[in-house]
Amino acid sequence: GATTFRGAPSYILPGTETRLKGSVGTGFKPPTLSQLYQDYPGFRFFGNPNLRPEESFGFDGGFEQPLGERVLVGATYFETDFRNLIQTAYFPTYSTNVNVGRAVAYGAESFVSVKLTDSLSARVDYTNTSTKDEVANQELLRRPRHKVSLTGIWTPLPNLTLTGTLISIGSFVDGNRDFSITRLKNPGFTLVNLSANYVWSETTTLFARIDNLFDQRYQNPTGFLGPGLAVYGGAWASLFTGSR
């Protein structure tokens, strides 16, 4: 058991419409049954029944500022300190999960949102994250330094909404699947996703979605192939107006 807390105040400055926001809180995450007891002898990976729960303390602070009626910008600094963070450790003859005594993740995220016309809008988000295992003095595994997303939303008809999203994940440190290389560089990947929604009636909405439009080959984590091109379509229906 554990007790955690979180507070997230927000305040709009009169006159400038600047929104100041922040949050502070603690976290608690017990190890999973798989991390504790599940073995994969073929990959020389074994569970660790001695794992302790992860604990964290984090905070962030930032702002959002409208620039006229069509542009909104914002930025936030964040930091999280971990105790007993669960990470994969590699040894000469096997690998397992262990608790990292102390670790930290910090960085900044920013965005620009623009309403280009009454029917077309776009948003760009960028996140820069730094991590450190403060015991081994190394970057934490599987934490990309850079992440960028670009989203465009177009409403060509009153009932039709088209959305396109580009997501780019930068390189990060990882280990290969059979654990023969303990630290290597995963080059990251870029995905393009599309979606469409059409409100057919007050109770029915048609949808379609394309994930990984260009069938990008990527591994996240290393050794686990990400899903390729996928196409979905269907409908939402409700018996009551205004619910879905």
Side-chain angles (χ1 to χ4, degrees):
T3 300
T4 62
F5 76 88
R6 184 174 186 269
S10 176
Y11 179 72
I12 297 178
L13 296 176
T16 65
E17 297 301 311
T18 304
R19 178 184 295 275
L20 303 179
K21 58 181 183 176
S23 70
V24 61
T26 59
F28 174 88
K29 181 179 179 297
T32 66
L33 292 175
S34 175
Q35 291 171 330
L36 290 168
Y37 304 116
Q38 194 163 16
D39 300 332
Y40 299 91
F43 294 100
R44 296 178 295 154
F45 184 91
F46 301 93
N48 181 358
N50 298 314
L51 287 174
R52 298 182 299 278
E54 296 179 352
E55 297 178 356
S56 64
F57 172 80
F59 66 90
D60 64 71
F63 73 94
E64 293 183 3
Q65 177 65 57
L67 303 176
E69 297 183 354
R70 293 186 176 271
V71 180
L72 179 67
V73 300
T76 301
Y77 174 84
F78 58 87
E79 182 173 329
T80 304
D81 294 286
F82 300 94
R83 290 183 181 271
N84 297 323
L85 182 69
I86 297 173
Q87 288 278 276
T88 303
Y90 305 91
F91 301 96
T93 58
Y94 72 99
S95 60
T96 187
N97 288 307
V98 299
N99 289 108
V100 175
R102 292 186 64 88
V104 62
Y106 61 92
E109 55 187 9
S110 58
F111 75 90
V112 178
S113 178
V114 182
K115 188 174 183 181
L116 300 170
T117 68
D118 291 341
S119 62
L120 180 63
S121 62
R123 174 171 170 141
V124 179
D125 290 82
Y126 170 69
T127 302
N128 184 298
T129 305
S130 297
T131 64
K132 184 180 181 181
D133 176 340
E134 296 186 326
V135 176
N137 197 30
Q138 292 179 326
E139 183 179 349
L140 295 176
L141 298 179
R142 298 169 184 166
R143 266 75 169 186
R145 181 69 179 268
H146 305 283
K147 179 180 179 180
V148 178
S149 65
L150 172 61
T151 301
I153 301 175
W154 182 34
T155 308
L157 300 172
N159 292 346
L160 176 63
T161 301
L162 306 176
T163 304
T165 304
L166 181 148
I167 302 173
S168 181
I169 305 295
S171 61
F172 54 92
V173 178
D174 203 351
N176 65 340
R177 188 170 182 176
D178 65 4
F179 310 110
S180 59
I181 303 176
T182 59
R183 295 182 71 85
L184 52 79
K185 181 180 180 181
N186 187 312
F189 53 90
T190 299
L191 302 177
V192 175
N193 304 320
L194 303 176
S195 68
N197 286 274
Y198 182 75
V199 180
W200 181 264
S201 68
E202 291 184 342
T203 59
T204 305
T205 299
L206 308 179
F207 71 89
R209 189 173 88 244
I210 301 176
D211 291 345
N212 196 356
L213 176 64
F214 298 107
D215 200 24
Q216 175 71 38
R217 301 287 90 184
Y218 67 98
Q219 300 179 66
N220 184 23
T222 300
F224 294 82
L225 186 64
L229 172 68
V231 180
Y232 305 87
W236 290 294
S238 62
L239 298 177
F240 305 98
T241 302
S243 64
R244 188 178 70 192

